[in-house]
Structure formats: structure tokens, C-alpha cells
Amino acid sequence: MSASALAIALMLGNAPVGPFDTSDGASTSTPIAAEPETASTTAEAMAQTGSDPDKVQPGRGQPDQDQDQEDITVTARRGHAPGDPLERVNEQSFAAMQAVDRAVVGPVAHVYEHAVPKPARNGLRNFFRNLHEPIVFANFLIQLKPGKAMETLGRFALNSTVGVAGVIDVAKTRPFNLPFRPNGFANSLGFYGVKPGPFLVLPLIGPTTLRDLVGRAMDTVIYPLPGGRPISGTAYAVSSTTVKMLNRRVDFDGTLHDLRDGNPHAYASMREYYLQGRAAEIAALHGRPRFREGAPVELTGPINIPPSRVP
């Protein structure tokens, strides 16, 4: 499951278009030291036992009267998770967008799901994926993966002709066996070692990072070029974004509920899911295992963030 696609379910049901958001971070928690026993506690204990606090014997948990005594106060302040300097702002944005999703986007997506048959929804999804294939092809070339680039080009040719402008994904069926492989410029930036930068939660975009935002902008600029008009028109942009938003909101409805419903750390869970998922996708481009050993997030099923991983 693409972590960037999950953004559609998390934020107004509108993820960044395609798998373009990448990041490599993970959240950690700050241990809070226990507060030591204070002198006031000792005085209460002496009162209960009738002992004279000036005659406390050593070895009873208090220092000798001849030793210097000093009260120590240990305080702990919760800091921002690594890679998330705008955590408080992001949490507020996340909460606001989830409120809108519950009130508007979620119900509309459910109406869309029941009103539009699944084959029609799949056809729309395939159509928009096919329009994006030239960007996928270009980025596989940038990543020095000519084999996958040629497969992508073959997918585009087959689906654009035999697949009726991409509505039918014939390329993934036998005897072609050419699966859809998401890619974008943010992936290429991550592939060549560009760090993700700060984590962001933006209205209408959702979870992203500074690097992801730059990659998304590059995708958006290049996207209309292969098709020209009407693909580059405003009407097309609005309608296509709406359809893709609803499709993805329907697709990831279950994952969204796993992340947020009854979860007091919904924001941290979303961040962990997103950052680890994108780190795994970048690692996969280098041929490394898709999921890190011991990773606390099950990226293909219900989300389970151990308390130690939640700030």
C-alpha cells in the first residue's frame, strides 16, 4: 500500500496525487525520569512513626544529619518528535481536516461508493493512472532503471490503445504481466539522497515533507505536458482531482478508521505510518527489503503503534 496514497484518506480524503510524498523518519518518545523522594515526604514519615527527624539513622532512606542535604527537583518537558518541528501546528491541522472528513468528505465518499459501480470506479482510476505513466517512465530513467522504464512505456502503449485510453488495465493481465508501479520526482529526490526535511500536514494535500512538496510541484508542472489540452485545463484539473479524491477515500476507508478511531494518538500513528511507509518505498528503489526489520508499524494491516513509539 502506498503511504502517499494514504494521505487521501487521512486529510479531507485528498492525498497527494500519486505516490509522490516521501520521507524517512520515525517518531520517538522522550523518557521522563521519576521524581525523587523529597524532604517533605520524610517529614510525613517521621510524624507517622513518632521519630525525631533530627535523629534519623543512616540507611533508612535519608542522609545522616551530618551530611549535606539538598532537595532535587526533576522536571521533564515533552519535545517535538524528530523531523516534526511543527508538531503542534500539524496536530491542529490534522484535527481540523479530520473533523471536515467526518462531516463532509467521508459521507460524500460513501454516497459515491454506493452510487457508482465498482467497475466504473476502477475504470476512472485506471484512466488517471495511465495519464501519469509518462512521469513514471521519466523517473525510472532518472533512477537508472531502464528495464522498469521500458515496462512502463509498454503499459502506457497497451492501455492507451487496447485498454481504451487506459480505462481498462489490460497491461497487467496475461500474457503481458506489466503491473502498475508508482513513481514520481519525490522518489527520485529520495533515491539520490535528498533528506525529507520537516514533516508537514497541509490542507488539501495532507501528510508530506518539504522534499515531497518539491517533488509534487515538479510532477504537477510536467503532468499536463504529454497530453496538452484539455488535460491542462482548469475544468479537467478540478474534475480529475475530485474523482481521484473520492476513489482514494473509498479505497482507504478501512485504513483510515484503523488509524484514528478510538486512538488517542491518531496524529502520531498517522505520522509513523506515513514516514515509515515512504522510507520503505525509497529503500525498495535501492533493492533493499521493503519493510525494516523490527518496524513497529504493520503497513499492510491495522495500525499498532507501541506506547514507546508515541510521543
Side-chain angles (χ1 to χ4, degrees):
M1 178 182 295
S2 172
S4 58
L6 175 64
I8 194 75
L10 293 171
M11 309 304 304
L12 271 184
N14 187 16
V17 178
F20 311 140
D21 286 355
T22 56
S23 191
D24 320 29
S27 62
T28 58
S29 59
T30 302
I32 300 178
E35 187 170 343
E37 190 175 14
T38 62
S40 61
T41 304
T42 304
E44 293 175 2
M46 295 302 102
Q48 293 176 359
T49 59
S51 301
D52 186 347
D54 294 331
K55 298 180 181 180
V56 178
Q57 298 179 358
R60 294 287 185 174
Q62 295 294 324
D64 193 316
Q65 63 181 359
D66 296 331
Q67 295 178 332
D68 293 335
Q69 300 188 35
E70 182 180 357
D71 291 345
I72 300 175
T73 302
V74 178
T75 60
R77 182 176 60 86
R78 176 185 170 189
H80 298 300
D84 192 4
L86 301 175
E87 181 178 2
R88 299 296 180 269
V89 177
N90 288 335
E91 285 180 333
Q92 293 175 3
S93 178
F94 176 77
M97 303 312 290
Q98 290 311 296
V100 174
D101 180 82
R102 288 187 175 95
V104 180
V105 179
V108 171
H110 292 149
V111 171
Y112 169 78
E113 179 182 13
H114 291 94
V116 180
K118 186 174 182 179
R121 298 200 308 270
N122 289 340
L124 289 170
R125 180 186 302 107
N126 294 338
F127 173 76
F128 292 119
R129 277 183 175 178
N130 191 61
L131 289 176
H132 184 70
E133 294 283 26
I135 295 177
V136 176
F137 166 78
N139 279 276
F140 276 131
L141 288 180
I142 292 172
Q143 296 157 14
L144 305 180
K145 299 180 182 298
K148 287 184 172 60
M150 292 301 105
E151 289 182 0
T152 301
L153 186 60
R155 273 184 55 85
F156 182 67
L158 281 168
N159 288 340
S160 296
T161 54
V162 182
V164 192
V167 174
I168 304 173
D169 190 355
V170 296
K172 72 178 181 180
T173 62
R174 294 180 180 179
F176 308 112
N177 297 320
L178 297 174
F180 171 70
R181 292 187 175 95
N183 209 343
F185 283 100
N187 280 6
S188 294
L189 292 174
F191 180 81
Y192 284 104
V194 177
K195 299 301 181 182
F199 181 72
L200 305 168
V201 179
L202 302 177
L204 301 180
I205 292 178
T208 185
T209 63
L210 182 58
R211 179 188 65 194
D212 307 342
L213 209 55
V214 173
R216 175 184 173 85
M218 296 170 68
D219 290 324
T220 302
V221 169
I222 295 176
Y223 179 74
L225 297 183
R229 293 187 178 277
I231 294 176
S232 58
T234 303
Y236 169 83
V238 173
S239 60
S240 64
T241 299
T242 301
V243 171
K244 284 181 282 190
M245 177 191 73
L246 293 174
N247 268 335
R248 291 191 175 116
R249 179 59 178 79
V250 170
D251 290 343
F252 294 101
D253 183 71
T255 302
L256 173 60
H257 287 293
D258 287 337
L259 280 166
R260 75 181 185 190
D261 291 356
N263 182 1
H265 305 290
Y267 168 76
S269 298
M270 175 275 297
R271 181 183 60 205
E272 191 86 352
Y273 184 102
Y274 178 80
L275 293 178
Q276 289 202 23
R278 292 308 297 136
E281 290 174 2
I282 297 298
L285 291 173
H286 290 281
R288 296 194 291 268
R290 185 168 178 81
F291 303 113
R292 298 200 303 272
E293 183 178 357
V297 179
E298 176 56 52
L299 296 174
T300 57
I303 307 306
N304 180 20
I305 309 290
S308 62
R309 303 292 295 172
V310 177

